[in-house]
Amino acid sequence: MRILMISAAAMMLISAFCLYAINYDTRQFAERVQAQERKLDKAREDIAILKADRAFAGRPEVIGPAARALGLVPAGEAQFVRGSDPDSVAQLPEAGSAEAGATQQ
Amino acid sequence: MTRRVYITPGRPQQGAGAHSETQPVRMRAVAAIAGVAVAFSLLAGQLVRLAILGQGEVSASMSQPIAIAFARPDIVDRNGQLLASDLVMPSLFADPALVVDKDELAEKLGRVLPGLNQAELRKSLADRDKRFVWIRRGMSTRQAEQIHSLGLPGIEFRSELRRAYPSGTLAGHALGFVDVDNKGIAGLERYLDEMGRIEPVSAPSLTKRPPVQLSIDVGVQHAVEEELTAAMATYKARAAVGLVMDVTTGEIIAATSLPSIDPVSPSLTSATINRLTDGTYELGSVFKMFTVAMALDSGAMTLETPVDVRQALRIGRFTITDTHPVNRILSLAEVFRRSSNVGAGKVAMELGAERQKAFFERVGLTGPLKTEAGGVAAVQLPERWGDVDTVTRSYGHGIAVSPLQFAVAAASLVNGGKRVTPTFLRRAVAPEAPDERVISEETSRQFNALMRGNVTERDGTGRRADVPGLEVGGKTGTAELPGKGGYRKKSVISSFFAAFPMSAPKYVTLVSLFEPQPVAESGNEITAGRNAAPVTGKILSRIAPQLDIMPRTAMQ
C-alpha cells in the first residue's frame, strides 16, 4: 500500500513537471506563432503597397503614350494579310513616326 | 492517540476482532463510491436527455472586440488589374497639451504634407484642453518618416486602414467610395458592404478574403474615358456618358459619366452626377430602334413596307415634321436610316398605343433596374398614353430613361432577341432566365441588317461611326432638352447607340454628349451623326482589338 502511495505521489510530481514543461513549450510556441503572424501581416501590408504601386505605375494613361512612342497601334485592317493573297502585305507606319501616333487617335 | 471502538448493536461483541475494524472503512468506501456513482449517473442522465431528447436550451455568449474600422477586399478588373485596395497607412495626430510651438509645428508639417490647412491646424492646437486632434489621416510611409525626423513634440502616429484607388478617377462613379472608417458609401464599394464582403476589425489588418473581380476592363474603360474627354473638348459639350456592354452576358466592360469623380475625395455636385444611371433623359431618335423592331416583330410590317412621309403628321394641335423632309414614300428601312419622325410616328399609330406600351414593358424600358453599383433612376413616363404620346414616344420624346436602361433594353434587340441583365461583376455565362425572349430571332436578324445599313448606306445617319472591318451598326439620336415653355432648339443630347460586329453582335456601345456646340469639326452642326457617331468610331477602333474583335474584311 505504501509503495503504491509513494508511486502515485511520484507519478503526480512527474506529471505536474511534464505538464509544466508542455505548458511552457506551448507558450513559447504561441509566441513564435504570433511573431510569425506579425511578420506575415507586415509582409501582406508591404505586398499590398507594392501591388498598389505597380497598378499606379501601370495605368493606361502611363502605358499609352509610351506605347505610342514605340509606334505601337491598335490592331487595324492593314495589319492582316488575306489568306488568298499572301503578297498583299500592308505597309505599316514606321515605329515612332507621326503617322503611327496618329493612327492611335 | 485515542483508539475508537465501534459497537454494532445486536451483534455479539466477542470475536469482532479485525473484521469489526475494517467494517467502517468499507462502509465509507461504499458510501463514497455510491455518491460518485450517483453523481455520474446524474451527469449521464443529463447528457442523454440533452443529446437524445434534445431538451434544454443551450446558450452561449461571445465577446467581440469593438470594431474600429472595416477591412475590405481588393477590387480588380476583369484581367486582374487592381482598382481598389486597402493599405495600412500611418495617420498623424497631436496632443495640443504637449505641443510646444504650434506655429512651428504647423509650418514644418505644411512643408511635408501638401494641402494641409495650417490656419485650421493652429486653431485646433490652440485649445490645450483637447488631448487629441487629427492632423492627417493616411499618408505615405516616406511622409511619415520625414515628419518623424522633424522631431516635433506632441505628435504621434497611429496605423489605420485607408482605401487606395491606384487608377485615380478611372471608373470613379462605378467604384463609388468609402467613409473615414472604410465603410462603403456609394457604388460598388457599398455593394461589398451590403453583401457582407467586409470584415469589422479592431486593429488595422488587411482582410484575407479573395478580391472582387469586376466585369470592367481597365484598358477599354480608359479608351472610352479618354475619347469622351477629347470629344467634350472638341464639341464643347457640358458632359458625356459612355458604355460598353457584352450583349450575351450583360457584363459592363466600360461605364463612365464625365465629369468623373475621384473616389478618394469625391466632389458631389450637379455637374458630377452619374448621368449614366442617376439621370433620366429624353434620348430622341435612338428610340426609333424600338419602334421599328416592334413593327417587324409584330409581323404587321416588313423592311419594305411603304410609309408615306410626304406630309407633316398632325395629331390634335401638334404637328410633327422631319428635320430633312423628303417628298416621296419611304420604306420602313428608309424611315430608320433617314430617322424620320413622321415615319416613326405613323408606324407607331398604325400599331397602336397598347402594343407600344406592351413592347416598352417587354424590352425592360419601363420597369425598375438595379445593378451592383446601385439603383438606376426610375423611368419618367406620364400615365397618359394617348395618340400624341404614342407618336412622340416613337421617336424618344415624352419618355425619359437613364442611358443605362436604354442601352440594356436596346441590347436585347441585337443579341438574337434575349433579355439582358446588366452586371458589373465578371460573369462567364449569361444568367439563365426562363422567359427571357424579347423579340424573335428572325426579327433580331433583320434589325441587325438595318442597323448595319444605317452605317454603310449613303442615306444612313451613322456613316461616320464606321470602322473598316468591324461591321459596325448603329442609330443616332439628337434630342432637344426641355426648357421653359418647350424644348430648347440649340441644347441637345447627341447619342449614338452602336453594336459590333453586326454579323453576330458581341458588344454594344452608347455614347451621349450633353449640349455639344456647333463647331467646325462637326460642320457647325449639333446632330449626333456629326459628333456622337465619329466619337463612337474612334472608340471602337481602339477597344475592338482589346476585346479580341479583329477586323474581319481583311481576314476573309
Side-chain angles (χ1 to χ4, degrees), chain B residues 525-539:
Chain B
E525 289 185 31
I526 52 173
T527 53
R530 301 302 295 258
N531 46 44
V535 172
T536 300
K538 285 180 184 173
I539 289 173

Side-chain angles (χ1 to χ4, degrees), chain A residues 41 44-45 48-49 51-52 54-56 58-61 68 74-77 80-84 104-105, chain B residues 74 81-82 86-88 166-167 204 206 208 218 222 226-227 468 538 541-542 545 550-551 553-556:
Chain A
D41 283 345
R44 257 198 294 268
E45 289 166 13
I49 290 173
K51 277 163 71 178
R54 187 182 64 179
F56 182 74
R59 286 169 296 152
E61 66 219 63
R68 277 193 277 266
E77 200 181 23
F80 291 86
V81 178
R82 290 177 198 277
S84 58
Q104 175 82 10
Q105 302 302 315
Chain B
D74 288 352
Q81 177 88 0
L82 191 67
D86 271 0
L87 299 179
V88 178
S167 297
L206 302 175
K208 291 168 189 147
V218 163
H222 171 70
E226 196 172 67
E227 289 299 341
K538 285 180 184 173
S541 64
R542 287 183 64 176
M550 295 300 167
T553 50
M555 291 189 288
Q556 286 165 352

Side-chain angles (χ1 to χ4, degrees), chain B residues 55-72:
Chain B
Q55 291 178 359
E57 287 182 8
V58 178
S59 64
S61 65
M62 291 173 69
S63 63
Q64 191 174 4
I66 298 167
I68 59 162
F70 295 90
R72 315 180 65 79

Side-chain angles (χ1 to χ4, degrees), chain A residues 20-82:
Chain A
Y20 175 79
I22 290 168
N23 187 26
Y24 184 77
D25 286 348
T26 307
R27 281 170 189 275
Q28 271 199 328
F29 185 69
E31 277 174 20
R32 282 210 303 274
V33 168
Q34 277 182 347
Q36 291 295 324
E37 279 178 350
R38 277 197 295 274
K39 273 187 188 173
L40 272 174
D41 283 345
K42 183 73 179 72
R44 257 198 294 268
E45 289 166 13
D46 292 345
I47 289 168
I49 290 173
L50 289 172
K51 277 163 71 178
D53 276 346
R54 187 182 64 179
F56 182 74
R59 286 169 296 152
E61 66 219 63
V62 177
I63 301 291
R68 277 193 277 266
L70 289 169
L72 300 173
V73 293
E77 200 181 23
Q79 289 165 291
F80 291 86
V81 178
R82 290 177 198 277

Side-chain angles (χ1 to χ4, degrees), chain B residues 97-347:
Chain B
L98 300 178
V99 173
V100 176
D101 186 342
K102 63 179 190 297
D103 295 321
E104 183 199 9
L105 185 136
E107 192 186 330
K108 285 188 172 175
L109 288 181
R111 283 185 215 148
V112 181
L113 300 173
L116 182 74
N117 190 334
Q118 293 186 34
E120 198 171 305
L121 179 61
R122 282 192 193 94
K123 199 175 161 189
S124 302
L125 295 175
D127 184 358
R128 297 180 74 87
D129 290 336
K130 275 190 196 171
R131 300 303 305 268
F132 188 95
V133 171
W134 279 119
I135 297 175
R136 173 65 61 86
R137 299 189 75 171
M139 67 180 73
S140 69
T141 316
R142 185 179 294 176
Q143 284 175 322
E145 282 168 2
Q146 284 176 335
I147 291 169
H148 187 73
S149 64
L150 291 173
L152 296 165
I155 57 172
E156 277 188 63
F157 291 99
R158 175 184 287 182
S159 290
E160 284 195 303
L161 278 180
R162 310 300 295 172
R163 198 67 165 161
Y165 301 89
S167 297
T169 61
L170 196 80
H173 279 298
L175 287 173
F177 44 89
V178 299
D179 68 6
V180 75
D181 293 323
N182 226 23
K183 200 161 171 30
I185 297 292
L188 289 158
E189 292 284 21
R190 185 172 175 169
Y191 168 77
L192 297 186
D193 288 48
E194 288 171 352
M195 297 306 289
R197 304 285 289 267
I198 63 166
E199 261 177 65
V201 288
S202 54
S205 59
L206 302 175
T207 181
K208 291 168 189 147
R209 297 188 181 194
V212 175
Q213 191 163 35
L214 301 187
S215 56
I216 284 176
D217 184 311
V218 163
V220 175
Q221 178 78 28
H222 171 70
V224 171
E225 290 193 9
E226 196 172 67
E227 289 299 341
L228 286 181
T229 304
M232 281 173 65
T234 304
Y235 304 113
K236 298 182 170 59
R238 198 163 54 86
V241 301
L243 176 78
V244 180
M245 188 171 70
D246 186 315
V247 295
T248 314
T249 62
E251 291 173 294
I252 294 170
I253 311 295
T256 188
S257 174
L258 300 178
S260 189
I261 59 162
D262 184 355
V264 174
S265 53
S267 160
L268 302 174
T269 64
S270 60
T272 59
I273 68 158
N274 187 354
R275 288 174 172 79
L276 185 67
T277 57
D278 298 349
T280 58
Y281 310 95
E282 293 175 303
L283 292 173
S285 294
V286 280
F287 258 67
K288 286 169 189 159
M289 291 194 297
F290 299 115
T291 304
V292 172
M294 174 177 65
L296 294 172
D297 201 54
S298 69
M301 294 185 183
T302 66
L303 290 174
E304 287 73 40
T305 300
V307 183
D308 191 351
V309 298
R310 290 174 295 181
Q311 302 285 324
L313 181 60
R314 285 196 171 78
I315 305 285
R317 61 190 177 87
F318 297 97
T319 303
I320 313 299
T321 57
D322 282 333
T323 313
H324 303 291
V326 285
N327 193 26
R328 65 181 176 87
I329 293 172
L330 301 179
S331 66
L332 182 62
E334 286 176 311
V335 166
F336 185 82
R337 289 202 300 268
R338 288 176 168 273
S339 200
S340 166
N341 291 343
V342 176
K346 284 197 168 180
V347 169

